[in-house]
Amino acid sequence: MSLPLDGMSAIVTGAGRGLGRAEALELAGLGAAVVVNDYGQPGRDGSGEASATPAEEVAEEIRAAGGRAVAHLGDVSDHEQARALVELAVETYGKLDILVNNAGILRDRMIFSMTEDEWDSVIRVHLKGHFNTTHFAAAHWRTRSKESGGPVHGRIVNTSSEAFLAGSAGQPNYAAAKGGIVGLTTSTALALARYGVTANVICPRARTRMTEDVFAGFQEPTDGGLDALAPEHVAPLVGYLASPAAAKVNGQLLVVHGGMVAIVERPRVAAKFDSSKETFSFGELDELISPYYEDRPPNETFAAAEVLGLKRG
């Protein structure tokens, strides 16, 4: 019996550990050949011999289970390294079918304490990193579609965060980058639909090395059960979105964790005011808008903090 992703190839960025590793293993288990990307250089063990990087270890884990995988050591926030990553997938497997953008870093700080470098580095890795890989993958799919005269199988799964949806006060750089990724995803979804490509974005909640401080207060199970914050709760959704079964899912945002998937609806217009003359005056705006917010709870903003309360059951 064939697997859902048989004959396909995938890239997973930031796949040496945590969420990316779980996603790479899931895609391989569904039949895809995987390029396991992560940032880093080979180290040395105690004897001076070269030691495997996390990306190489994950690729070996996939091969040991009977799958196909190669490692790519590179920084996706670097445009040329992202180009090399996509080229590696095409050269190794003949084509690229799936791109999972997961790589990221945290530099948490309140807005009044954040340094320029802390802002720039998070925006660069998350937002520019997503753009770089998407740019080269999109060009590949567009070329293939034109050559074949029809749509191709192309899937992009991007990674946003509840920090964007809920407005995380101590993560202005991270929330901004993750919000930008949602905009990038919806734009990409519309631009590439004609070629058979879909682009969706997930907001996962997972306990990883990057988020260990964020979720320090969430206790792990003591009965041997699967942690509600385990990356393995997220990976199956990525596998589904990467498959032919999800052909009609495009430009969507999904929250996923702990055995739960929630589809988040697009923003809707809550109120509309028209000027009595050609344009508004200050006084008219005050008369119309101020009463609208008079009894509004002070913490009710455009942010959707209620997503933080979502859980299975």
Side-chain angles (χ1 to χ4, degrees):
M1 185 177 71
S2 63
L3 295 169
L5 304 183
D6 271 348
M8 298 184 191
S9 68
I11 289 172
V12 183
T13 71
R17 300 181 177 89
L19 191 56
R21 172 183 173 273
E23 292 167 344
L25 294 175
E26 177 74 16
L27 295 178
L30 293 174
V34 184
V35 178
V36 181
N37 160 267
D38 213 337
Y39 181 73
Q41 300 296 326
R44 298 284 173 179
D45 61 21
S47 65
E49 294 293 322
S51 59
T53 65
E56 291 167 334
E57 290 175 351
V58 174
E60 176 54 35
E61 186 176 356
I62 291 172
R63 291 192 294 268
R68 294 181 296 160
V70 295
H72 174 269
L73 308 182
D75 179 2
V76 293
S77 71
D78 182 286
H79 203 60
E80 290 308 310
Q81 291 186 50
R83 181 200 301 271
L85 170 59
V86 173
E87 288 178 349
L88 175 63
V90 175
E91 291 168 1
T92 304
Y93 301 121
K95 59 184 174 65
L96 174 66
D97 302 288
I98 300 157
L99 171 63
V100 180
N101 283 310
N102 167 75
I105 60 172
L106 288 179
R107 298 290 185 269
D108 292 352
R109 195 89 64 183
M110 297 297 286
I111 187 65
F112 42 76
S113 302
M114 182 163 290
T115 67
E116 182 180 15
D117 182 66
E118 287 167 342
W119 173 270
D120 288 347
S121 60
V122 168
I123 298 296
R124 184 178 66 250
V125 174
H126 286 274
L127 186 51
K128 187 183 179 188
H130 272 63
F131 160 73
N132 285 342
T133 54
T134 299
H135 168 76
F136 293 112
H140 168 71
W141 288 320
R142 180 172 179 265
T143 298
R144 278 178 52 199
S145 178
K146 287 190 170 185
E147 290 175 348
S148 67
V152 299
H153 180 95
R155 297 287 185 269
I156 300 170
V157 182
N158 287 334
T159 307
S160 183
S161 170
E162 292 170 298
F164 151 67
L165 289 173
S168 179
Q171 298 180 301
N173 49 2
Y174 184 67
K178 291 306 190 182
I181 286 168
V182 174
L184 172 65
T185 304
T186 54
S187 174
T188 302
L190 292 174
L192 300 185
R194 71 181 69 180
Y195 305 116
V197 179
T198 67
N200 293 288
V201 60
I202 63 171
C203 292
R205 190 186 301 179
R207 194 191 308 274
T208 67
R209 190 178 66 158
M210 190 181 83
T211 62
E212 58 187 354
D213 292 336
V214 176
F215 295 125
F218 290 76
Q219 188 172 353
E220 296 186 50
T222 57
D223 60 359
L226 184 63
D227 184 358
L229 294 175
E232 287 75 15
H233 287 296
V234 177
L237 177 61
V238 173
Y240 165 75
L241 292 174
S243 75
K248 293 187 177 180
V249 185
N250 193 29
Q252 302 300 309
L253 188 154
L254 304 97
V255 176
V256 55
H257 58 80
M260 180 217 74
V261 173
I263 298 172
V264 179
E265 186 61 273
R266 64 180 177 83
R268 296 188 180 277
V269 176
K272 176 179 173 289
F273 304 101
D274 296 320
S275 64
S276 59
K277 298 179 180 179
E278 185 176 11
T279 188
F280 281 110
S281 66
F282 173 89
E284 188 177 20
L285 288 170
D286 183 27
E287 290 175 2
L288 292 172
I289 297 178
S290 294
Y292 180 79
Y293 285 102
E294 186 65 36
D295 298 320
R296 198 84 171 266
N299 292 326
E300 187 175 304
T301 70
F302 187 78
E306 64 270 18
V307 299
L308 299 179
L310 294 173
K311 61 181 181 179
R312 181 172 177 262

